[in-house]
Amino acid sequence: MRNKLPQLDYSAAAIPEVARERDMEYKLKMKDYADKKAADSNIQEGDIVLMRNETKGKLQPNFRPEKYKVINLNGLDMIVQSKENGSTVRRNVQFAKKVQVAEPDTEVEVSEPEPETEHTGPDKANGLIERTNRIIEKILKIATVEKKDLQKEFRKFLVAYRSTLHTSTRCTPFSLMFGREMRNKLPQLDYSAAAIPEVARERDMEYKLKMKDYADKKAADSNIQEGDIVVMRNKTKGKLQPNFRPEKYKVINLNGPDMIVQSKQNGSTVRRNIQFAKKVQVAEPDTEVEVSEPEPETEHTGPDKVTMATETSAPEVRRSVRVRKPPVKFADYLVNH
């Protein structure tokens, strides 16, 4: 295609057979790269599976409670039948999760979900609160799907959380609070001797500094300042949803990674972390630029005029000076020069 920009001529390499071979090689490379990260699915025909929940929400489970039976499986494509109304749907195998069906006349021991260890990362201003809320949301999701009492399940979670050894302090929250370990019916090690508040506080500070150094290696300074116009990240998920909302905000207060922004539409203020904002490049107003007329050049008659014409001429194209030799395999051939 001809355009106004200078470009190289690739028409000699645009041979259909060669382009087809290159495309096949590229697809094979992409397939090998994807196969390295792909894991074989353990779903087979006849298995009972759950389908991924498309409804988004904090208390919505990741998979719907309705069970399906796999009646046909062809690679990553499968056809499942509902156990409730017998309807069949066609889905990809990555949107399904296998259900472990208990064998008859066997008791299945239901274990409580293991609480995740506490993490105080410096990536967010209120990271500790958000991390704790994420664990609580997970427990409430499980209780909602299993149709259990939320308060009772939350108390079970607190018992498990307070009796679990934390990575940062290497002590349990219960032992730091009461000076002894929580008594229960399970055999366990005694960590009460190590639960000294001063020692635990020093361990926690060392752990936080390690996490801070790790985060600082990957962190980059933000160019957002007070008075800038920004757009906020879009929380609505979807293929056609933009990454940032079109509504513009003005930064009215900035304190480290924490900022307060004001909407340009209705004047409402919200408090957000700086990593959820993107600076908008505001175009400066057009300014009048004085265009001066070029001064007429005086005519020179002499060798100076010839020198100026020589300097403004096209630059000489540099040629390669290396010695060119024919390949060794053509040494016994007569080549026409």
Side-chain angles (χ1 to χ4, degrees):
M1 180 185 295
R2 297 187 180 91
N3 50 34
K4 298 181 180 180
L5 300 177
Q7 59 183 357
L8 298 176
D9 186 10
Y10 298 102
S11 59
I15 304 174
E17 291 76 9
V18 178
R20 196 175 296 110
E21 291 179 0
R22 292 173 181 170
D23 183 63
M24 183 60 67
E25 291 178 0
Y26 182 78
K27 288 180 179 178
L28 290 176
K29 288 182 180 179
M30 294 296 100
K31 181 180 181 299
D32 294 339
Y33 178 78
D35 291 343
K36 291 179 181 179
K37 296 187 177 182
D40 295 335
S41 176
N42 58 347
I43 298 177
Q44 299 177 1
E45 291 187 9
D47 291 343
I48 305 300
V49 296
L50 301 177
M51 304 307 297
R52 185 176 297 177
N53 189 9
E54 298 177 357
T55 305
K56 301 297 181 181
K58 290 187 175 181
L59 298 181
Q60 291 293 333
N62 295 331
F63 293 89
R64 300 196 301 269
E66 185 180 0
K67 295 181 180 180
Y68 293 83
K69 183 179 180 181
V70 181
I71 59 176
N72 189 9
L73 184 63
N74 184 13
L76 299 178
D77 191 43
M78 68 177 182
I79 299 177
V80 294
Q81 185 178 19
S82 174
K83 301 281 286 185
E84 295 183 1
N85 51 22
S87 60
T88 59
V89 291
R90 184 178 180 181
R91 290 290 184 270
N92 192 284
V93 73
Q94 65 178 353
F95 296 105
K97 177 183 178 182
K98 185 177 180 180
V99 177
Q100 300 294 338
V101 181
E103 298 180 358
D105 300 333
T106 57
E107 295 182 357
V108 180
E109 183 180 356
V110 180
S111 59
E112 295 181 358
E114 297 181 0
E116 300 182 10
T117 55
E118 186 181 38
H119 175 69
T120 56
D123 53 349
K124 296 180 181 179
N126 52 351
L128 179 61
I129 299 175
E130 293 184 2
R131 189 68 186 91
T132 307
N133 291 340
R134 194 189 308 172
I135 302 174
I136 296 175
E137 289 177 5
K138 184 178 180 181
I139 300 301
L140 296 179
K141 282 182 181 180
I142 298 173
T144 304
V145 172
E146 297 179 354
K147 298 180 180 180
K148 295 182 179 179
D149 189 4
L150 297 181
Q151 294 184 357
K152 186 182 292 185
E153 295 300 318
F154 185 69
R155 293 193 199 99
K156 290 182 180 179
F157 159 71
L158 290 179
V159 172
Y161 181 80
R162 292 167 180 170
S163 60
T164 302
L165 196 70
H166 282 198
T167 307
S168 59
T169 59
R170 282 175 272 177
C171 303
T172 60
F174 189 91
S175 63
L176 292 175
M177 183 69 182
F178 298 99
R180 61 176 179 85
E181 292 296 336
M182 184 185 299
R183 297 186 181 92
N184 50 31
K185 298 180 181 180
L186 300 176
Q188 59 182 0
L189 298 175
D190 187 10
Y191 299 102
S192 58
I196 304 174
E198 291 77 9
V199 178
R201 194 176 294 110
E202 292 179 359
R203 292 172 181 170
D204 183 62
M205 183 60 66
E206 292 177 359
Y207 184 80
K208 289 179 179 179
L209 290 176
K210 288 182 180 179
M211 295 296 101
K212 180 180 182 300
D213 294 339
Y214 177 77
D216 290 343
K217 292 179 181 178
K218 299 184 178 181
D221 295 335
S222 176
N223 59 347
I224 297 177
Q225 299 177 359
E226 291 188 9
D228 290 344
I229 305 300
V230 297
V231 289
M232 306 305 297
R233 185 178 297 176
N234 190 9
K235 296 182 179 179
T236 306
K237 302 296 182 180
K239 291 184 178 180
L240 300 180
Q241 291 293 332
N243 296 331
F244 293 88
R245 299 196 302 269
E247 184 180 0
K248 295 182 180 180
Y249 294 83
K250 182 179 180 180
V251 181
I252 58 177
N253 190 8
L254 184 63
N255 185 14
D258 190 45
M259 67 177 183
I260 299 177
V261 294
Q262 186 178 20
S263 175
K264 301 280 287 184
Q265 295 182 359
N266 50 21
S268 61
T269 58
V270 291
R271 183 179 180 182
R272 290 291 184 269
N273 191 278
I274 199 172
Q275 67 176 355
F276 296 107
K278 178 182 178 182
K279 186 177 179 180
V280 177
Q281 301 294 338
V282 181
E284 298 181 357
D286 296 336
T287 57
E288 296 182 359
V289 180
E290 296 181 0
V291 181
S292 59
E293 297 181 357
E295 298 180 358
E297 298 182 359
T298 58
E299 185 178 356
H300 294 277
T301 58
D304 294 340
K305 187 174 182 180
V306 178
T307 306
M308 291 175 60
T310 306
E311 293 178 355
T312 57
S313 60
E316 183 181 357
V317 179
R318 182 178 176 273
R319 301 292 183 181
S320 177
V321 295
R322 66 182 180 86
V323 179
R324 298 183 179 181
K325 296 181 180 180
V328 180
K329 62 182 179 179
F330 296 131
D332 55 347
Y333 282 77
L334 296 178
V335 182
N336 294 328
H337 294 284

